[in-house]
Amino acid sequence: MTAIPLGLPEVPVRPIAERRVSQRIQVGPVAVGGGAPVSVQSMTTTRTSDIGATLQQIAELTAAGCQIVRVACPTQDDADALPVIARKSQIPVIADIHFQPKYVFAAIEAGCAAVRVNPGNIKQFDDKVKEIAKAAKDHGTPIRIGVNAGSLDRRLLQKYGRATPEALAESALWEASLFEEHDFRDIKISVKHNDPVVMVEAYRQLAARCDYPLHLGVTEAGPAFQGTIKSAVAFGALLSRGIGDTIRVSLSAPPVEEIKVGIQILQSLGLRERRLEIVSCPSCGRAQVDVYKLAEEVTAGLEGMEVPLRVAVMGCVVNGPGEAREADLGVASGNGKGQIFVRGEVVRTVPESKIVETLIEEAMRIAEQREKDGASGAPSVTVS
Ligand code: SF4
């Protein structure tokens, strides 16, 4: 076999930026901040009082790679369900509290791994801080101060006229200072806005003014396509400056989709080991194969693969061989055939109808070998 130079750049193994120095908190077994890997979280959409449905959704989220899950707690029935959910969930559960301070205490008592409070939405919150700080400290429960543009404190709305980055950051820091007065610093902060430009600026200001770990989120980001773009842009802008310790992608879509997007964002930024990566060309007038279909079929065939694998799928022989070189596995198509590459060498030439199954076969072989070797690395598949 002849080694063919393919020219694909190496997958970066270092993260995109030095992480901002932040203090570390523990959300159950998951460390957040202080250089801990950026975690991915989501929120259930079930009624929390429906324990079975909530635990089922948490199990699905866990299987998808979710590391922390938040559950809403708007009623006493929901609060009553928290002890069982917190105990049976395989990942740490954060109770999300609005309006009623009594549920903050219930969540802490229930053994939730953390409690999210929205100061703008909790009546007489400021007066309750002393008691909340004491209960949280006694139980070792961190608090997320979750400021949201849609429910900003009235005082700050009056001061700034609207939810500006300054208003969001000031709101969060004001609430944090109330906890600090009671010697409580087991805190993480979010300042969410639906506009990525405002959100990014709010987090930048916050990052410069405190060392609390930051939970990134674009709130009400929209349906899957728009929300994915907004979140990727906003998180990319922040994480590329080292800002952000845990992320939640908010989509008007099933929560498992949020996890997939969140993981992909971290992988793209080099903040998480890349798993299956399909490097496929956009196709053009030179394509001699249906690249979209091929890329989709290969992606579907390799879904769930745990071993890092980079697969190049290229539509013709013009750039195909070149682009497949750095991939673990690749195909360059032409004349009704596909040249299959492994590590830049042509290992087989197969008819077009056999390309997908051959790639999957070779991918499995590579995965098996890697598992045997105990090696890891960036997976890549190139389809041209
Ligand atoms: S690899 Fe070939 S088909 Fe794909 S975009 Fe490049 S030139 Fe076009």
Side-chain angles (χ1 to χ4, degrees):
M1 301 289 176
T2 313
I4 297 175
L6 298 178
L8 200 70
E10 286 282 356
V11 178
V13 290
R14 60 169 186 269
I16 194 159
E18 287 293 315
R19 303 275 304 282
R20 160 183 168 261
V21 175
S22 60
Q23 71 165 40
R24 179 173 289 199
I25 65 166
Q26 281 297 137
V27 179
V30 180
V32 176
V38 179
S39 49
V40 177
Q41 52 180 291
S42 183
M43 189 165 179
T44 52
T45 55
T46 53
R47 298 227 174 275
T48 303
S49 55
D50 186 342
I51 294 174
T54 302
L55 284 171
Q56 173 61 32
Q57 196 170 60
I58 292 176
E60 287 163 15
L61 284 165
T62 307
C66 182
Q67 293 166 288
I68 297 171
V69 66
R70 192 153 42 107
V71 301
C73 186
T75 70
Q76 187 60 49
D77 285 347
D78 298 315
D80 292 343
L82 290 177
V84 178
I85 292 171
R87 196 173 67 246
K88 292 197 171 173
S89 169
Q90 287 179 304
I91 53 176
V93 173
I94 299 182
D96 191 79
I97 314 289
H98 294 252
F99 305 118
Q100 299 272 10
K102 67 178 178 182
Y103 299 145
V104 176
F105 300 106
I108 292 171
E109 290 291 332
C112 288
V115 178
R116 180 267 171 123
V117 295
N118 179 346
N121 262 357
I122 291 196
K123 287 176 207 142
Q124 303 138 0
F125 179 83
D126 294 358
D127 300 337
K128 291 279 181 193
V129 168
K130 184 178 178 184
E131 284 172 66
I132 292 173
K134 180 171 185 327
K137 198 186 274 186
D138 288 349
H139 288 78
T141 312
I143 299 283
R144 165 152 77 95
I145 296 173
V147 173
N148 198 305
S151 49
L152 191 63
D153 193 297
R154 199 177 307 157
R155 181 178 61 86
L156 290 162
L157 268 182
Q158 276 166 359
K159 178 173 171 186
Y160 290 96
R162 62 197 160 85
T164 61
E166 292 73 17
L168 293 167
E170 186 174 324
S171 173
L173 291 170
W174 162 253
E175 298 304 337
S177 75
L178 297 180
F179 280 98
E180 288 161 4
E181 278 174 21
H182 302 288
D183 198 25
F184 186 88
R185 289 184 50 87
D186 199 3
I187 291 170
K188 64 176 173 147
I189 296 181
S190 63
V191 280
K192 299 190 182 182
H193 196 289
N194 62 44
D195 181 336
V197 176
V198 178
M199 173 272 196
V200 166
E201 183 53 27
Y203 276 99
R204 278 188 194 153
Q205 292 184 14
L206 196 56
R209 293 173 63 187
C210 73
D211 69 349
Y212 288 117
L214 300 180
H215 161 124
L216 303 187
V218 178
T219 192
E220 293 113 27
F225 178 75
Q226 180 185 292
T228 298
I229 301 288
K230 278 188 173 184
S231 300
V233 167
F235 295 0
L238 289 165
L239 290 166
S240 66
R241 292 170 177 236
I243 298 170
D245 300 289
T246 182
I247 61 171
R248 190 263 169 120
V249 175
S250 299
L251 300 178
S252 302
V256 163
E257 298 306 311
E258 299 183 347
I259 297 304
K260 288 186 193 165
V261 173
I263 290 173
Q264 195 65 51
I265 289 172
L266 294 184
Q267 288 185 3
S268 298
L269 291 168
L271 288 164
R272 189 169 280 214
E273 185 180 57
R274 292 176 182 176
R275 297 285 165 157
L276 176 64
E277 184 180 5
I278 305 288
V279 178
S280 58
C281 82
S283 191
C284 73
R286 282 185 288 266
Q288 294 176 20
V289 70
D290 184 343
V291 179
Y292 303 166
K293 186 163 167 266
L294 198 53
E296 263 173 30
E297 287 175 358
V298 172
T299 306
L302 295 175
E303 199 187 353
M305 179 164 277
E306 286 298 310
V307 174
L309 189 69
R310 191 168 206 229
V311 182
V313 180
M314 311 301 293
C316 75
V317 291
V318 173
N319 291 329
E323 292 189 14
R325 187 180 72 183
E326 298 299 334
D328 299 305
L329 180 60
V331 59
S333 311
N335 296 327
K337 292 181 189 155
Q339 282 187 313
I340 308 292
F341 298 86
V342 174
R343 285 276 171 213
E345 291 194 12
V346 180
V347 294
R348 290 158 84 173
T349 299
V350 297
E352 198 176 313
S353 59
K354 299 277 182 200
I355 291 175
V356 174
E357 66 178 75
T358 309
L359 281 177
I360 292 171
E361 220 175 272
E362 292 293 340
M364 296 301 171
R365 210 192 309 276
I366 294 170
E368 222 169 87
Q369 190 57 45
R370 285 194 175 166
E371 265 164 17
K372 253 189 229 158
D373 299 345
S376 96
S380 82
V381 176
T382 304
V383 180
S384 267

